[in-house]
């Protein structure tokens, strides 16, 4: 069980800000594959992961990072703060 | 550090920050203001953020600045929500014994806030809403540190 | 630009400067504060200047900044006379569409004010008075522009 | 007839902030030589011109600059503003 959060256009494309996901994926990339396979809106949001960033327990991470022990995964586009 | 929806008074914050320094010779501030679009028409800049991670990211960026420069104090205030043109979005302030450290740390904080703190901007106009794309230059700016 | 003996309210000036911008996205300020000596004992920093040339030099420095960067506005306030520790000596503010220009122009203005505007500082302590020597780094800082 | 101004420790060493000088000097260096020859306090102030700066009519200049048409000459140490 993992909390998955979506921000900005990822959130808009998927249609929800967060959800709890039952997953056996070992890595972020594995989780993305599972999500993509669900529905068209997920496939659209995750079509190009080079346009996305991921945070694990609120720290920026890579898509090949392990999900071991992770409680919260967030997907979002590159940040535009400041 | 403060992450808030409410407007804040940049002048009052900057004045208070400078007055609180008792051994700094140099204070630098940066303020970001919502710019209207070329030709006008911006109703609001909507700023989304990731509560929790935002505070962690800003704290990490400030700690990194303190470890790199001879810095006596720093301040980051960043707003979220729908901001009309002319509104202050955010500010950074740094205090140091000498100006080179105060300037470098302020620029560093800005470069990192731009691309490493979880904020996303969306332009709202009469025609609709559009997410602001990250700029290549902002990513490049990180490489100099 | 103002050259004055009277104290000024940095926060109020910075706030007014930022509020007056209607197309700037970035405002940078620098404030110089009288630092006490290591260990204390500074009674005042006495600042002498060359009336007439001071204003000409600052106007020339500001014009040069405007010609080099995409700058929408700038402000320089510099005091003279005897200033106690903690007093604000001077401030610079720059406004630009983008932060890189605002930062660069503010640093440029500071580097030139340090070494090319006719001000001289003298430290007054119980032991007497001593002219502050120009720092090699300040002269070097000019070479990067 | 030229107005000569002194600032900071140059002013203190010479003892006056300004004076009107009758000079036939063609350059700043010539004027400095004339002043040096006057009295010990001038010789002391101008002992090392590499430690001094000069402005002609309120613009920074070099010591070999011409005095032609100049009304105001100022001598002072390197500036320490900001």
């Amino acid at each position: 069980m993992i909390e998955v959060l979506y921000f900005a256009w990822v959130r808009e494309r998927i249609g929800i800000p967060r959800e709890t996901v039952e997953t056996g994926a070992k890595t972020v990339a594995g989780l993305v594959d599972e999500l993509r396979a669900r529905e068209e809106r997920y496939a659209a949001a995750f079509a190009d992961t080079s346009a996305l960033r991921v945070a694990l327990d609120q720290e920026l991470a890579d898509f090949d990072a392990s999900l071991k022990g992770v409680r919260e995964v967030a997907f979002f586009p590159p940040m535009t703060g400041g | 550090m403060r992450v808030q929806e409410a407007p804040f008074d940049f002048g009052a914050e900057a004045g208070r920050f400078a007055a609180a320094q008792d051994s700094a010779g140099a204070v630098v501030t940066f303020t970001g203001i919502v710019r209207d679009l070329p030709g006008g028409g911006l109703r609001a800049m909507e700023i989304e953020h990731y509560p929790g991670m935002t505070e962690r990211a800003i704290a990490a960026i400030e700690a990194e600045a303190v470890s790199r420069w001879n810095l006596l104090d720093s301040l980051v205030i960043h707003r979220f929500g729908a901001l009309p043109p002319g509104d202050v979005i955010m500010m950074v302030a740094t205090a140091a014994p000498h100006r080179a450290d105060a300037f470098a740390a302020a620029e560093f904080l800005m470069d990192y806030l731009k691309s490493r703190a979880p904020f996303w901007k969306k332009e709202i106009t009469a025609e609709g809403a559009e997410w602001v794309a990250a700029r290549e230059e902002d990513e490049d700016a990180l490489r100099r540190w």
Side-chain angles (χ1 to χ4, degrees), chain A residues 8 11-12 72 77 80 82, chain B residues 48 50 78 119-122 131:
Chain A
R11 172 180 54 72
E12 289 178 340
E72 185 173 302
T80 53
Chain B
E48 180 171 337
Y50 181 174
H78 204 303
F119 291 100
W120 301 274
K121 291 199 188 93
K122 192 184 196 175
W131 290 100

Side-chain angles (χ1 to χ4, degrees), chain B residues 63-139:
Chain B
E64 177 75 19
V66 165
S67 79
R68 287 186 184 219
W69 289 280
N70 185 1
L71 213 58
L72 297 165
D73 199 4
S74 68
L75 171 69
V76 174
I77 304 176
H78 204 303
R79 292 176 63 195
F80 58 89
L83 281 60
D87 253 35
V88 169
I89 303 174
M90 53 81 65
M91 72 171 284
V92 152
T94 56
H98 298 291
R99 75 185 189 287
D101 290 296
F103 269 119
E107 289 195 72
F108 171 86
L109 287 173
M110 283 309 305
D111 285 351
Y112 272 79
L113 282 170
K114 279 268 165 193
S115 307
R116 292 292 180 269
F119 291 100
W120 301 274
K121 291 199 188 93
K122 192 184 196 175
E123 291 168 352
I124 317 288
T125 65
E127 283 76 46
E130 196 163 343
W131 290 100
V132 173
R135 303 189 321 158
E136 197 90 41
E137 307 100 278
D138 287 333
E139 195 58 36

Side-chain angles (χ1 to χ4, degrees), chain B residues 10-60:
Chain B
F10 158 65
E13 295 290 347
R16 196 154 37 230
F17 181 84
Q21 306 309 320
D22 59 2
S23 50
V27 169
V28 169
T29 72
F30 176 90
T31 325
I33 301 169
V34 179
R35 279 199 305 156
D36 205 342
L37 299 169
L42 183 72
R43 285 188 183 169
M45 182 70 86
E46 203 172 288
I47 299 171
E48 180 171 337
H49 80 120
Y50 181 174
M53 178 170 170
T54 308
E55 289 79 1
R56 289 169 67 123
I58 295 176

Side-chain angles (χ1 to χ4, degrees), chain A residues 43-73:
Chain A
F46 290 105
D48 176 13
T49 52
S50 78
L52 294 182
R53 301 288 178 269
V54 62
L56 301 183
D57 290 331
Q58 308 190 348
E59 298 272 1
L60 283 174
D62 292 321
F63 279 81
D64 56 10
S66 164
L67 289 180
K68 191 158 183 225
V70 169
R71 286 159 304 169
E72 185 173 302
V73 178

